[in-house]
């Protein structure tokens, strides 16, 4: 069926009228399924960075981009960009204990807590460090919020809540209601508590505010962690960090003479003060194995016909969680089929169809990024070391977690980005007889959990696009049920795998919209932009001055 994309009127120009007929025979559901089947196979060992799984993954993506007909877009005329990282993992057993009221409770790593360290040490050794509850651990002067009130956390372990102070309040407050801000992310908690001088951090896990269960925390927490090489890493990281089960936190507060629920409600107010936990202390000892590794981004390029110095990026992260603990069926490989072999498959297929058609006016980059699951490391590195100038990068269209369950009526983006790309996506979807759904789960904080965020922080208009929930077969209720089941059972687990029941028809329809959107931006004279209220607007405006 032929679809026509109407003229999209934008504040900085127009996107041309565009027939969304896709060259190269159209987007192939079979191709998308095949790429996922290969990338998520046992042979690729879960695609963890700096493993044999990475070697196979990079070779496959490079070969497919080459066959697609695009050119190398990486360093030194090659297909890749080296990303140097420090890898750290717990080496051997963890000896940890919680002492309160003269009684010591042994803690099991992986069951009661998960602990790790990115501090530049070979051994973590903490003895009887006092525990202090710091609420949500937020220091946000622009929101008139400070959970620390000058407390001295040196030598102490902070117990901190996940998400924002607004998450469970009846009315929206300083933190946008249920829509998570960056202050709600676990990454921020670790960063801020390092700045505050704490020796350690334990985040209280609660499934709803975290948006995933303990099995996800366990899987990621027991895996190696990564960071960029830093000469002064001790400034950026507490000695150790991790999570604790909610039940353990409730018990700890009770033994300290406190009610966890009451203290949590206090933490939802601006007047909150840090609370020592009744003389409770924690001791922990474990070895840390650290080494420096090089992982890689893969980049293909299609040069623009008229404005080759201007760029539109398609991206998806290629990494998953590698090999972990066996599940009930004995499978230890976290295959990462939905998350995110589907995105990589889309990038490869987009490269193929663009190469088969008329050259776009702007250049296109087709990027498979590393170490997203380790804190957006590949995207952050690219944003700091771009192969195409960021001030002349018109847009980043990042692709995540397309559906294996057949077609949806809608397509969605992650978070409330306050970016004109959300409007573009809506118009493209409607021109194809579909609908656009803003993120239906803002409280999950997906805006800060995907690679587009690295580009956004650098000012580049960026969006992550994924599957909607309004299924052709079963509507929104069926879509939500499938999503919830996936996150409860298979997110970062071995069962996120390709099966013979895989239905890539919906993926193909979503990728067709991505083609139309990218084609319109690449052939138009408009520069996508951040809207009023975006924290990234000022950064982009400064780069626009440089561009002009």
């Amino acid at each position: 069926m032929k679809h026509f994309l109407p003229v999209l009127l934008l504040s900085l120009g127009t996107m041309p009228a565009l027939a969304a007929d896709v060259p190269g025979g159209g987007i192939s559901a079979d191709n998308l399924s095949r790429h996922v089947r290969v990338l998520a196979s046992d042979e690729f060992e879960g695609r963890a960075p700096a493993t044999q799984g990475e070697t196979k993954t990079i070779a496959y993506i490079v070969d497919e981009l080459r066959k697609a007909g695009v050119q190398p877009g990486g360093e030194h005329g090659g297909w890749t960009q080296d990303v140097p990282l420090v890898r750290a993992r717990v080496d051997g057993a963890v000896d940890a204990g919680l002492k309160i009221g003269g009684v010591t409770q042994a803690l099991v790593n992986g069951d009661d807590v998960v602990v790790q360290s990115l501090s530049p040490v070979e051994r973590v050794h903490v003895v009887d460090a006092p525990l202090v509850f710091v609420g949500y651990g937020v220091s946000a002067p622009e929101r008139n919020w400070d959970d620390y009130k000058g407390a001295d956390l040196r030598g102490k372990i902070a117990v901190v809540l996940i998400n924002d102070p607004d998450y469970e309040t009846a009315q929206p407050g300083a933190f946008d209601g249920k829509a998570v801000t960056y202050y709600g992310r676990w990454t921020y908690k670790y960063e801020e508590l390092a700045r505050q001088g704490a020796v350690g951090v334990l985040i209280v896990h609660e499934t709803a505010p975290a948006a995933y269960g303990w099995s996800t925390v366990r899987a990621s927490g027991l895996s190696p962690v990564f960071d960029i090489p830093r000469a002064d890493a001790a400034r950026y990281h507490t000695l150790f960090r991790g999570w604790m089960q909610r039940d353990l936190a409730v018990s700890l507060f009770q033994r300290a003479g406190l009610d966890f629920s009451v203290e949590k409600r206090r933490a939802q107010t601006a007047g909150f003060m840090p609370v020592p936990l009744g003389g409770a202390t924690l001791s922990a000892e474990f070895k840390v194995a650290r080494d420096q590794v090089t992982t890689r981004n893969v980049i293909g390029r299609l040069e623009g016909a008229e404005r080759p110095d201007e760029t539109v990026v398609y991206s998806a992260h290629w990494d998953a969680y590698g090999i972990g603990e066996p599940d009930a069926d004995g499978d230890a490989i976290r295959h990462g089929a939905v998350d995110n072999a589907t995105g990589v498959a889309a990038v490869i297929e987009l490269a193929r169809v663009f190469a088969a058609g008329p050259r776009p006016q702007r250049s296109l980059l087709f990027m498979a990024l590393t170490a997203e699951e380790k804190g957006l490391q590949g995207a952050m590195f690219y944003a700091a070391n771009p192969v195409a100038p960021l001030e002349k990068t018109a847009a980043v269209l990042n692709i995540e977690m397309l559906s294996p369950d057949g077609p949806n009526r809608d397509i969605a983006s992650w978070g409330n980005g306050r970016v004109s790309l959300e409007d573009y996506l809506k118009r493209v979807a409607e021109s194809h007889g579909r609908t656009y759904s803003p993120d239906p789960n803002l409280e999950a904080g997906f805006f800060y959990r995907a690679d587009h965020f690295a580009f956004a922080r650098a000012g580049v208009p960026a969006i992550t696009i994924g599957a909607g929930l309004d299924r052709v077969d079963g509507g929104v209720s069926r879509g939500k049920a499938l999503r919830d089941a996936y996150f409860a059972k298979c997110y970062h687990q071995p069962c996120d795998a390709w099966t013979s029941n895989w239905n890539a028809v919906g993926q193909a329809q979503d990728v067709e919209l991505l083609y139309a959107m990218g084609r319109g931006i690449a052939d138009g004279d408009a520069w996508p932009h951040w809207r009023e209220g975006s924290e990234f607007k000022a950064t982009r405006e400064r780069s626009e001055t440089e561009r002009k």
Side-chain angles (χ1 to χ4, degrees), residues 277-355:
L277 290 177
T281 64
L282 187 137
S283 299
E285 184 168 11
F286 55 91
K287 293 180 181 179
V288 180
R290 290 169 54 87
D291 59 348
Q292 188 156 326
V293 300
T294 298
T295 182
R296 288 163 290 174
N297 294 327
V298 182
I299 308 172
R301 184 173 188 268
L302 189 63
E303 184 165 312
E306 295 294 333
R307 301 190 300 281
D309 59 330
E310 298 175 8
T311 304
V312 177
V313 175
Y314 285 107
S315 66
H317 75 88
W318 61 255
D319 64 305
Y321 273 98
I323 299 172
E325 295 182 327
D327 64 7
D329 297 322
D331 190 355
I333 298 174
R334 278 79 65 90
H335 301 273
V338 171
D339 183 16
N340 188 37
T342 58
V344 177
V347 169
I348 294 171
E349 183 68 356
L350 285 161
R352 183 187 70 81
V353 297
F354 269 104

Side-chain angles (χ1 to χ4, degrees), residues 419-486:
V419 65
S420 63
L421 294 172
E422 293 165 337
D423 302 324
Y424 304 176
L425 181 58
K426 180 177 186 290
R427 292 169 181 170
V428 170
E430 290 172 349
S431 75
H432 284 67
R434 297 181 63 189
T435 60
Y436 163 67
S437 294
D439 190 339
N441 194 23
L442 290 173
E443 59 268 30
F446 284 123
F447 185 85
Y448 306 99
R449 292 165 59 178
D451 279 330
H452 80 279
F453 180 58
F455 294 92
R457 289 178 74 168
V460 180
I463 188 172
T464 286
I465 297 169
L469 292 178
D470 188 4
R471 288 181 47 75
V472 171
D473 178 15
V476 173
S477 61
R478 178 60 175 158
K480 286 184 176 178
L482 289 167
R483 179 198 64 184
D484 292 348
Y486 170 81

